[in-house]
Amino acid sequence: MSWGTDLWDQFENLDKHSQWGIDFLERYAKFVKERLEIEQTYAKQLRSLVKKYCPKRPKDDEPRFTSCLSFYSILNELNDYAGQREVVAEEMGHKVYGELMRYSQDLKAERKHHLQEGRKAQQYLDQCWKHMDNSKKKFERECKEAEKSQLIYERLDNDINATKSEVEKAKSQLYLRQHMAEESKNEYAAQLQNFNSEQWKHFNVAIPQIFKNLQDMDERRTVKLGEMYRSFAEVERRVIPIISKCLEGMVTAAKNVNERRDSGIVVESFKSGFEPPGDFPFEDFSQNIQRTGSDGTIGTPKTEGGKPDPKHAVGRTKNKLWLFGKKPKAPTLEDLSHLPPEQRRKKLQQRIDELNKELQKEMDQRDALNKMKDVYEKNPQMGDPGSLQPKISETICNMEKLRSEIHKNESWLAEVEGKHGSRSERRSSADVNHHAPHGRESPEGSYTDDHSQEHRSPPQPDPHEFDDEFDDDDPLPAIGHCKALYSFDGSNEGTLVMKENEVLYVIEEDKGDGWTRVRKQGGEEGYVPTSYVEITLEKNSKAAPLLPHSRRNWKSVL
């Protein structure tokens, strides 16, 4: 079916239909715009929701429970899901809405052009008809005038009273009118033939071509709408695999929830390392009452002076039973002694690990600066090597500070581990002998004896503890020598006193703990801080192996 042949007389209706088609296309474009705005709002609200429930926290406050980690994994997946909704909105805006609006403008311009051509053809046909109609009316007038002249001539010619001149005049007027009527007839015939020709061209050539162009335009609009419907669906289909992965990630996060692990984290987070309180002793206040020999009651052995044993005084311990009550707050100290032993050990170990990382960074920076300095020395045109010296000195100073901090924290850590070990030994001894403990732990994490033990001296280390390490039959061979950069007092047992610029033999390299084993000229051996000496190792020499038990003993002292 063709609009040009079947709808040759429906120009106005086709005008309205083509306008309706463009309006419908723009209506669908408006629908797509509102849809993508919904997607944008949805994605924005999802991101706000994720941000609300996943606030930024300090690194130390990050949750470790599997339920929390799974929830934050779900939030991350939801954030990715929101990103896919943004992709949908962006693709709809670019590939559907934008394309529809551009195509709509093109359709409007094309429709306007076709309709203008149709109107021009109609105007030209109307003009031809007007010319034909004017020539027809002129021919009609001229014929009437000729008939009137003929009647006048015939009346004068039959009138005997009419003069000859009047008859001749009427005759000449008749001839003139007949000639003019003939000319009008010829003109009318020519205009009629031209109009019929133009009318045939109009309805058989011009209008069918114009209507065919309008039909092609409308069909292309329909095809474009179908393509946009498909693109609209394809935008959704392309993100389905990624959305499915997001949902699979949520399911995986749900499967990762482990109640046993969470319970273990609770224990690890809040374990204080304190021992449970022991049994309260019976306090016999009837020791001064006279008893008869036949008294069947079981007496309690008397203490000297007839006074109760101060070790069992309730007043000494009742203020320390905060295990199920509100724990008193303690000030934050640098050595973390305000924390319970187990928590203090973990915090100190964490601090040591962080300091070691910072030290490694400084060492890497020092090495990089030294390499750059060597390059500058070999190629002066690249830079001044002296300009790097302040930065190198600053880096070395930072390294010394970090090593000092590491040594200090390792000392505190060794102290905590030593107390923890001695406490375990006391507890096992008490379990074997079936005696109640005579002391309690303070809230600050240190061990506090009862009144009777307040003046006892702390346990001394075994004087033969380092015999295996320093009293070997065969002295370890020297693998190099070192020069003391600073003085070291060697206050801890196992360390060696050295003076600045003193030359020592190196018998064991640093094993990563910041200490190097050296020997003096007189044969005295011990450990010194690696950062305090400048070491030169001999070629083809190997470090002496360190016995595990000797290093463990040294660690316990530190």
Side-chain angles (χ1 to χ4, degrees), residues 304-428:
E304 290 188 9
K307 297 181 180 181
D309 189 350
K311 292 189 291 184
H312 305 311
V314 177
R316 297 290 182 185
T317 59
K318 68 178 181 179
N319 292 331
K320 298 178 183 178
L321 295 179
W322 49 266
L323 294 177
F324 298 99
K326 187 175 180 181
K327 182 179 179 179
K329 294 183 178 180
T332 303
L333 302 176
E334 183 185 7
D335 61 353
L336 304 177
S337 59
H338 62 287
L339 296 175
E342 187 67 19
Q343 301 300 320
R344 183 187 180 193
R345 183 186 64 79
K346 292 178 181 177
K347 292 290 185 181
L348 285 173
Q349 186 62 53
Q350 181 180 359
R351 184 189 292 178
I352 291 171
D353 294 340
E354 293 175 355
L355 289 172
N356 281 324
K357 291 180 181 178
E358 294 180 9
L359 177 61
Q360 185 61 41
K361 290 181 181 179
E362 294 292 336
M363 292 173 66
D364 294 341
Q365 184 176 4
R366 178 201 61 186
D367 295 340
L369 290 171
N370 286 330
K371 290 180 181 179
M372 188 180 296
K373 183 179 178 182
D374 293 340
V375 173
Y376 286 175
E377 289 176 351
K378 295 178 181 179
N379 302 286
Q381 68 275 10
M382 296 182 65
D384 181 16
S387 61
L388 300 175
Q389 191 58 42
K391 186 65 177 177
I392 294 175
S393 301
E394 180 184 354
T395 304
I396 293 175
C397 182
N398 292 337
M399 289 168 56
E400 296 302 330
K401 291 180 180 178
L402 290 171
R403 284 176 175 141
S404 176
E405 286 293 323
I406 292 172
H407 175 61
K408 181 167 59 176
N409 283 274
E410 285 179 344
S411 301
W412 291 334
L413 180 61
E415 176 187 351
V416 174
E417 292 175 346
K419 285 187 176 181
H420 187 72
S422 61
R423 188 179 299 114
S424 300
E425 292 175 1
R426 285 198 301 272
R427 182 173 59 185
S428 61

Side-chain angles (χ1 to χ4, degrees), residues 232-271:
F232 184 84
E234 287 294 333
V235 168
E236 287 277 357
R237 180 182 293 177
R238 278 193 291 269
V239 300
I240 287 177
I242 303 178
I243 291 177
S244 298
K245 290 183 179 179
C246 294
L247 298 177
E248 289 174 3
M250 294 181 186
V251 173
T252 302
K255 292 179 180 178
N256 289 336
V257 175
N258 189 324
E259 68 279 5
R260 294 292 183 183
R261 185 176 177 185
D262 285 358
S263 297
I265 292 174
V266 173
V267 173
E268 181 182 350
S269 300
F270 303 113
K271 182 180 179 181

Side-chain angles (χ1 to χ4, degrees), residues 41-60:
T41 304
Y42 180 46
K44 184 178 180 181
Q45 290 178 348
L46 284 179
R47 290 195 182 277
S48 299
L49 182 67
V50 171
K51 185 177 180 181
K52 177 181 177 181
Y53 285 92
C54 188
K56 294 182 179 179
R57 292 184 175 87
K59 186 176 180 181
D60 294 340

Side-chain angles (χ1 to χ4, degrees), residues 84 160 200:
Q84 294 307 307
I160 58 174
W200 186 89

